[in-house]
Amino acid sequence: MGQKGDKYGAHRVIEPAGVLTQAAWKIDSDMSKNYSNEILVDVISLNIDSSSFTQIKSEAGGDKEKIGAKILEIVSERGKMQNPVTGSGGMLIGKIACLGEDLSDRDLKVGDKIATLVSLSLTPLKIDEITAIHSDIDRVDIKGQAILFESGIYAKLPDDMSEALALAALDVAGAPAQTSRLVKEGDSVLVLGAGGKSGILCCYEAMKKAGPKGNVVGMCRSQEDRKKLLENNFCHEVILSDARKPLDVLEKALKANSGKEFDVSISCVNIPSAEMACILPVRDDGVVYFFSMATDFAKAALGAEGVGKDVQMIVGNGYTKNHVDITLAAIRESQALRDIFNAKYI
């Protein structure tokens, strides 16, 4: 039997000492080491966090060869896929290659396909080869291996949808699940970045929870996304604006909500400086949910203070109880959602 490691993966930290793998600058990605409470995964695809991929793509000028080189550089240097600019990672799908002896009670066997539901920013990763880069959907197909720690959460891939569809949905599973928990019947809800992957799922869940007496307003930047959201009844109204322009968002959002401030706002944008656009339209004692990893939480806290907003601000957590079931249920319930994901993210 191999040596038992720390359940949270601290035994894989190289530097600095004393932190967990997410906070570490460099971790040990030697896949030949045998720890009895680790799961070795043969990786099929990485879904890079949207904020991270957007930053890398911008730095590379959209050139796929440069994007791949940057990803390889990060993983080689850090032992994990954690963007040094955004700090974010993503998730992966792969096949179980080896299950540590201490994890034999898990409902897993060698060959099972899983999606890891913990961030790549804390996951030991070794890339042997990048086989394809899908820059329009933030996905990178690779040959390589990764480690899932004893504490790491995962989901077996469902058999009623494609791997790519499940990966696209599970990549943002925390967002619709948290929306389902935050939104109450009759609430008014503003979703920034409503046309994106997490945004459209949040709109769908908000419409379900707010009900006929609620009002769900989406914000996006294109007429195409606006049309898609309205035609499929994912929002009651959709405004066109730029989340980096908070006063414009405020004016248009309030107009779409009969001049009233919102009960809940949700940020699903993948660019910086969108904090105030999410805060300003919300009433005192309302809820502001930042799912975006591009959020600067110091800007959010100081910005709310600066405009005298007494709101509850929630940090986007990729894990929410039952988030896999909630998200996959949405894809199963709505043929429109499934069609959009199949057309755009696969």
Side-chain angles (χ1 to χ4, degrees):
M1 177 180 284
Q3 180 183 358
K4 186 170 185 176
D6 176 74
K7 69 178 292 186
Y8 300 113
H11 59 285
R12 289 274 182 177
V13 172
I14 295 176
E15 61 174 292
V19 301
L20 295 177
T21 55
Q22 199 280 333
W25 173 254
K26 185 175 181 64
I27 63 176
D28 182 358
S29 59
D30 185 347
M31 300 297 159
S32 67
K33 292 183 177 178
N34 180 24
Y35 290 94
S36 63
N37 58 338
E38 290 184 342
I39 299 171
L40 180 65
V41 181
D42 288 328
V43 182
I44 297 169
S45 295
L46 309 174
N47 240 48
I48 308 295
D49 171 75
S50 180
S51 298
S52 173
F53 200 93
T54 298
Q55 187 277 323
I56 292 171
K57 186 162 63 172
S58 176
E59 181 181 316
D63 184 280
K64 287 188 177 181
E65 187 173 332
K66 292 180 179 178
I67 291 171
K70 185 62 179 180
I71 290 170
L72 289 171
E73 176 189 320
I74 292 170
V75 173
S76 175
E77 185 174 55
R78 307 197 65 176
K80 57 180 177 173
M81 181 54 219
Q82 183 179 29
N83 187 316
V85 177
T86 66
S88 53
M91 61 169 301
L92 63 83
I93 61 169
K95 290 183 179 180
I96 302 296
C98 181
L99 193 65
E101 298 94 327
D102 290 337
L103 304 180
S104 59
D105 59 341
R106 299 285 178 96
D107 182 26
L108 284 177
K109 64 182 184 301
V110 172
D112 282 348
K113 288 184 180 179
I114 64 167
T116 60
L117 301 176
V118 292
S119 175
L120 292 175
S121 65
L122 58 82
T123 302
L125 175 66
K126 184 177 183 296
I127 298 178
D128 297 319
E129 179 187 358
I130 292 177
T131 58
I133 295 175
H134 309 278
S135 56
D136 53 336
I137 55 173
D138 309 337
R139 193 173 76 226
V140 180
D141 298 334
I142 74 162
K143 293 180 181 177
Q145 292 186 311
I147 295 291
L148 190 64
F149 301 126
E150 182 181 348
S151 61
I153 54 176
Y154 56 87
K156 283 188 178 181
L157 292 181
D159 56 13
D160 61 343
M161 60 185 73
S162 69
E163 292 174 8
L165 176 58
L167 177 62
L170 292 176
D171 182 38
V172 293
Q178 189 71 267
T179 299
S180 180
R181 187 161 70 179
L182 292 174
V183 177
K184 303 184 298 296
E185 186 175 358
D187 275 352
S188 55
V189 183
L190 174 65
V191 181
L192 281 70
K197 189 162 51 174
S198 58
I200 200 166
L201 282 165
C202 288
C203 290
Y204 179 80
E205 287 298 325
M207 289 287 283
K208 284 172 57 179
K209 300 297 288 190
K213 294 181 180 179
N215 184 34
V216 177
V217 177
M219 189 226 78
C220 58
R221 297 179 66 179
S222 76
Q223 284 286 0
E224 180 184 357
D225 282 341
R226 182 177 187 273
K227 181 180 179 183
K228 173 181 63 182
L229 289 162
L230 291 174
E231 283 184 347
N232 289 293
N233 198 35
F234 294 146
C235 295
H236 293 102
E237 185 53 88
V238 179
I239 61 173
L240 295 178
S241 189
D242 184 332
R244 295 167 294 188
K245 298 178 179 178
L247 293 176
D248 186 64
V249 173
L250 175 66
E251 179 184 354
K252 292 175 179 177
L254 294 185
K255 186 177 179 181
N257 196 40
S258 303
K260 298 177 182 178
E261 294 178 321
F262 288 79
D263 299 301
V264 179
S265 70
I266 302 166
S267 178
C268 295
V269 298
N270 61 5
I271 53 174
S273 301
E275 294 82 9
M276 293 312 297
C278 203
I279 291 168
L280 276 179
V282 178
R283 64 171 173 81
D284 278 353
D285 299 320
V287 175
V288 179
Y289 173 42
F290 293 109
F291 184 70
S292 169
M293 289 297 103
T295 302
D296 183 321
F297 296 102
K299 284 184 181 179
L302 295 174
E305 173 190 299
V307 296
K309 282 285 182 178
D310 183 8
V311 293
Q312 180 184 3
M313 293 189 287
I314 297 177
V315 177
N317 182 347
Y319 173 65
T320 304
K321 286 181 181 178
N322 302 317
H323 67 327
V324 171
D325 294 339
I326 290 169
T327 301
L328 294 183
I331 297 294
R332 292 182 177 114
E333 290 167 1
S334 172
Q335 187 61 46
L337 265 181
R338 185 185 284 251
D339 290 344
I340 288 168
F341 269 66
N342 277 324
K344 190 169 182 180
Y345 300 114
I346 294 176

